[in-house]
Amino acid sequence: MVSLLALASSVCWGTSDFFAGLFSRRRPAVAVVGWTQGLAFVVLCVVVLTQLDHAVWTGWPLWSVAAGLSGLTGLLCFYTALSTGTMGVVAPIAALGVAVPVLLGVATGDEPSAWTWVGILVAVVGVTLASGPELSGDVSTRPVVLAAVAAVGFGLALFCLDRGARTSTLMTLWGMRCTSVVVFAVVALVTRSVGGVVSREVPTLLVIGCGDLVANGLFAFASSRGEVSVASVLGSLYPVMTILLARLVLAERLRPIQQVGALLSLAGAAVIAL
């Protein structure tokens, strides 16, 4: 069940990322992230208000703030790297961020079986290849460094989300969203801009934000009740879902290396779930 929930989180993340990517063709990526995070935060606030009698106020705050800042740093570095470097280099490096929670999980007590380690290795290689690595051409240093920072940020966000969820999944999600929304609100006030988003676009952004929120919740629930090292790998298979949707909806052709990566990712997930 834990493995299925983690896999479900990757499906939600991949779907959310795909439609967020489509929307980013019309609006700045930073605006899309800010709006989706903010609208999801409103939903979370409503849920938290209905659960105030059962709310826990200790154990999760620092982890949620750390998760919010790490995830936000990862996103900003990732988008900056994509805008200045080759996507085929940046995306695979960022995908390797899954190694961070795996290593931290093992360091804090996780003990994956031998077969699970095999599945983890196959899945990590698969998701890296599925991201479409560029195997030729010169690459400047700056986007590579930014992609590496993004990888660490994404990985730390997953680990911190897991640690906070061991006390309270709901409140950790709320604190994580609150942190990122405060940052985006400050940016909006300083720039005096909401990214050009109009009222008719809000429902779409709300759905995208809720998809990302559900993904975070599924991952947090799965990892806090199992091994974060395993849940992180399964949850990080979201690029496979994104490229499959691009193939089905946009008729984008997958490069051979992406096809191999997708198959390896699924094979690794199957081994882990056994």
Side-chain angles (χ1 to χ4, degrees):
M1 181 60 69
V2 169
S3 296
L4 290 177
L5 290 174
L7 281 172
S9 74
S10 70
V11 172
C12 291
W13 263 321
T15 304
S16 177
D17 284 351
F18 172 75
F19 288 104
L22 286 182
F23 205 92
S24 294
R25 296 181 177 182
R26 289 185 288 165
R27 302 297 180 199
V30 173
V32 174
V33 174
W35 272 91
T36 54
Q37 296 269 310
L39 292 169
F41 179 62
V42 173
V43 173
L44 263 179
C45 285
V46 173
V47 176
V48 169
L49 286 175
T50 65
Q51 300 294 318
L52 277 181
D53 293 340
H54 307 288
V56 179
W57 299 100
T58 59
W60 57 266
L62 290 179
W63 289 116
S64 66
V65 171
L69 293 177
S70 298
L72 185 57
T73 300
L75 282 174
L76 293 177
C77 287
F78 184 57
Y79 285 132
T80 303
L82 288 177
S83 67
T84 59
T86 303
M87 185 176 295
V89 174
V90 171
I93 293 175
L96 290 176
V98 66
V100 175
V102 170
L103 294 175
L104 290 176
V106 172
T108 53
D110 284 2
E111 296 181 352
S113 66
W115 273 112
T116 299
W117 273 117
V118 171
I120 288 174
L121 178 61
V122 172
V124 170
V125 171
V127 75
T128 303
L129 295 179
S131 298
E134 186 67 54
L135 301 179
S136 61
D138 295 329
V139 182
S140 60
T141 303
R142 186 170 182 267
V144 171
V145 173
L146 287 171
V149 174
V152 174
F154 291 148
L156 286 175
L158 290 179
F159 182 76
C160 293
L161 178 57
D162 163 74
R163 297 295 125 161
R166 291 172 186 255
T167 300
S168 173
T169 299
L170 176 61
M171 297 308 297
T172 301
L173 291 174
W174 181 84
M176 184 180 178
R177 282 292 181 280
C178 182
T179 300
S180 58
V181 166
V182 168
V183 173
F184 279 114
V186 171
V187 171
L189 289 173
V190 172
T191 60
R192 297 182 180 180
S193 172
V194 293
V197 173
V198 295
S199 58
R200 68 175 180 274
E201 296 172 327
V202 172
T204 302
L205 291 168
L206 174 62
V207 173
I208 293 172
C210 287
D212 180 67
L213 178 61
V214 170
N216 278 271
L218 289 170
F219 169 80
F221 188 87
S223 66
S224 62
R225 285 156 180 77
E227 295 184 329
V228 64
S229 54
V230 174
S232 296
V233 173
L234 295 175
S236 295
L237 298 182
Y238 59 88
V240 176
M241 188 63 191
T242 302
I243 64 172
L244 288 178
L245 284 173
R247 178 73 179 92
L248 294 173
V249 178
L250 303 178
E252 290 186 1
R253 297 188 63 181
L254 300 183
R255 296 162 56 194
I257 195 170
Q258 290 179 296
Q259 296 177 22
V260 172
L263 291 175
L264 285 176
S265 298
L266 296 176
V271 173
I272 293 172
L274 289 177

